[in-house]
Amino acid sequence: MNELSIAVRKLDPNAQLPVRAHHDDAGADLISNEDCVIAPGGRALVGTGIAIEIPHGYAGFVHPRSGLAAREGLTVLNAPGTIDAGYRGEVKVILHNTDPDSSVTINVGDRIAQLVIQQVSLPRFEDAESLSSSAREAGGFGSTGRNRKGEN
């Protein structure tokens, strides 16, 4: 297996590098570098204190942690958040507290999200007078008719 190496720069000496709970996990945990309290229904931009160098042809995708979602109602607001290969600023996570009644406390050192690095296509977009036909054509959300009341 050809392992990909990602350079990580600590912007704060106390910041922690992403870490996998198990050697074959797709996602590496991102660790909070700041304390905050997220009110019911609120959101916060939480810093990790790190910057990463993702190689050309790859991107980082920030996903919610399932345990935090189940226990606290905490999710990543723009899931998955995208980190482009050319970005060199601090990795931050937009957390959203979906619980209508309870605040969520984030402490320095808490695992707040998962980072998945994936290879991505970098297509060239071309202006076209027409597109080839398809079975779906211009059908949008719900165009298959499934899950509509009274339909199969």
Side-chain angles (χ1 to χ4, degrees):
M1 173 186 237
N2 189 8
E3 279 194 17
L4 183 66
S5 182
I6 303 289
V8 180
R9 179 174 166 238
K10 289 184 177 184
L11 303 174
D12 178 317
N14 297 317
Q16 297 181 46
L17 273 58
V19 62
R20 284 184 174 72
H22 304 282
H23 78 282
D24 57 353
D25 286 351
D29 290 327
L30 291 171
I31 316 288
S32 175
N33 197 51
E34 58 187 86
D35 296 327
C36 70
V37 175
I38 307 172
R43 64 182 178 267
L45 184 61
V46 182
T48 63
I50 62 168
I52 60 177
E53 185 175 340
I54 298 173
H56 179 76
Y58 289 82
F61 298 97
V62 179
H63 295 269
R65 294 191 67 243
S66 56
L68 284 177
R71 285 189 314 274
E72 308 284 343
L74 196 66
T75 191
V76 174
L77 191 58
N78 63 327
T82 303
I83 304 171
D84 293 308
Y87 180 68
R88 296 292 185 272
E90 181 179 9
V91 173
K92 294 185 177 188
V93 180
I94 306 169
L95 293 175
H96 174 58
N97 178 4
T98 65
D99 191 291
D101 302 314
S102 300
S103 294
V104 175
T105 299
I106 301 295
N107 296 303
V108 170
D110 285 352
R111 297 175 296 155
I112 58 171
Q114 294 184 73
L115 174 64
V116 176
I117 304 294
Q118 291 181 287
Q119 196 166 15
V120 295
S121 294
L122 300 172
R124 179 181 64 249
F125 295 95
E126 299 176 353
D127 190 11
E129 292 294 321
S130 64
L131 303 175
S132 63
S133 64
S134 73
R136 185 174 182 180
E137 291 300 333
F141 292 108
S143 65
T144 62
R146 294 185 185 188
N147 296 324
R148 289 185 191 165
K149 204 172 201 171
E151 294 183 14
N152 292 330

